[in-house]
Amino acid sequence: MIESIRLMAIIRDVEPVYAVPIAEMLVSEGITGIEVSLSDAEKGFGCIENIQKRFSPDKICLGAGTVTKKEEVDRLAAMKIPFFLTPGYDDELVAYGLSKGMEVLPGVLTPGDVQKALNRGVRRLKLFPADAFGMSYIKSLKGPFPQAEFVAVGGVNETNVSQFLKAGFAGAAAGSNLVPRKSTDGNLELIRQKARLYVQAMEREA
């Protein structure tokens, strides 16, 4: 299912009690891809658990981000989370995730990172930070690695998301610009407005 997701919302540093209202708002505006960051692991796992209780897998594409430890992979696998993202390329962690039957989107930036991921059989990669070298960088990477598919993470907002897609990215993930860190019920209207702008931008690009 993740292959069909072109826009993913990142939920980070949110108290679990607010995860479901935020996810409901995103889904109501047409954003069904959600990555919950484990930068604060306990909050992150709490958010994942609550969202899982509210939505069935056919209604939402739910994964985890900022995964850095095998213990986190074990816990995610036990929860039947289908995919996770890493902040940087960690070959051992990627191999471990794959051994658990999960899809792994490793964080890459350099040609060396990309080559290591492809040698592991991983083609869908998280380019982070995606705004580091300008929009032309993706074309440079696609030259020697045409089989790789990149998801833009870092610097994505409602005004440039379509530019990332036009530049050659297969998808994009929006973080605090869409769902502010430590969001509560008080942020729901802002999230709704932002989500609508993102979806409109994606529709213009389609």
Side-chain angles (χ1 to χ4, degrees):
M1 184 176 177
I2 189 175
E3 290 77 13
S4 64
I5 300 294
R6 299 192 76 203
L7 176 62
M8 188 171 299
I10 301 172
I11 295 177
R12 185 189 301 273
D13 293 335
V14 169
E15 294 291 343
V17 68
Y18 301 117
V20 168
I22 291 171
E24 288 176 336
M25 184 62 74
L26 292 167
V27 172
S28 72
E29 292 298 330
I31 299 177
T32 57
I34 295 179
E35 169 198 336
V36 177
S37 170
L38 298 186
S39 55
D40 184 318
E42 288 313 305
K43 282 184 182 178
F45 278 113
C47 287
I48 291 172
E49 290 172 358
N50 287 351
I51 293 172
Q52 270 191 321
K53 291 174 184 176
R54 172 62 179 84
F55 293 96
S56 59
D58 62 323
K59 299 296 183 183
I60 198 170
C61 186
L62 177 63
T66 325
V67 176
T68 59
K69 302 173 183 176
K70 288 184 177 180
E71 308 90 83
E72 294 170 345
V73 176
D74 288 336
R75 193 167 171 183
L76 292 168
M79 298 168 73
K80 302 190 185 306
I81 293 298
F83 71 92
F84 67 86
L85 299 86
T86 66
Y89 190 80
D90 181 330
D91 194 61
E92 186 176 354
L93 194 63
V94 171
Y96 191 68
L98 295 174
S99 75
K100 294 288 185 177
M102 303 175 73
E103 181 169 359
V104 186
L105 282 74
V108 301
L109 182 61
T110 68
D113 293 336
V114 176
Q115 186 166 321
K116 289 175 185 175
L118 292 174
N119 286 342
R120 271 289 176 196
V122 179
R123 292 179 54 194
R124 194 171 182 88
L125 314 172
K126 162 189 163 181
L127 187 63
F128 175 80
D131 60 346
F133 302 124
M135 293 293 176
S136 63
Y137 186 57
I138 181 70
K139 294 179 181 178
S140 298
L141 285 178
K142 292 284 278 187
F145 307 116
Q147 70 273 46
E149 295 183 354
F150 296 94
V151 176
V153 182
V156 176
N157 59 51
E158 72 275 19
T159 61
N160 66 18
V161 63
S162 62
Q163 296 174 34
F164 280 107
L165 299 177
K166 288 177 182 176
F169 284 91
S176 57
N177 178 262
L178 175 55
V179 180
R181 286 190 174 201
K182 303 185 186 300
S183 284
T184 67
D185 288 347
N187 296 98
L188 290 177
E189 179 58 23
L190 173 63
I191 293 170
R192 183 190 67 77
Q193 293 173 3
K194 285 281 191 173
R196 189 162 295 181
L197 291 173
Y198 273 94
V199 171
Q200 290 172 349
M202 301 290 288
E203 289 174 346
R204 287 195 295 269
E205 169 59 18

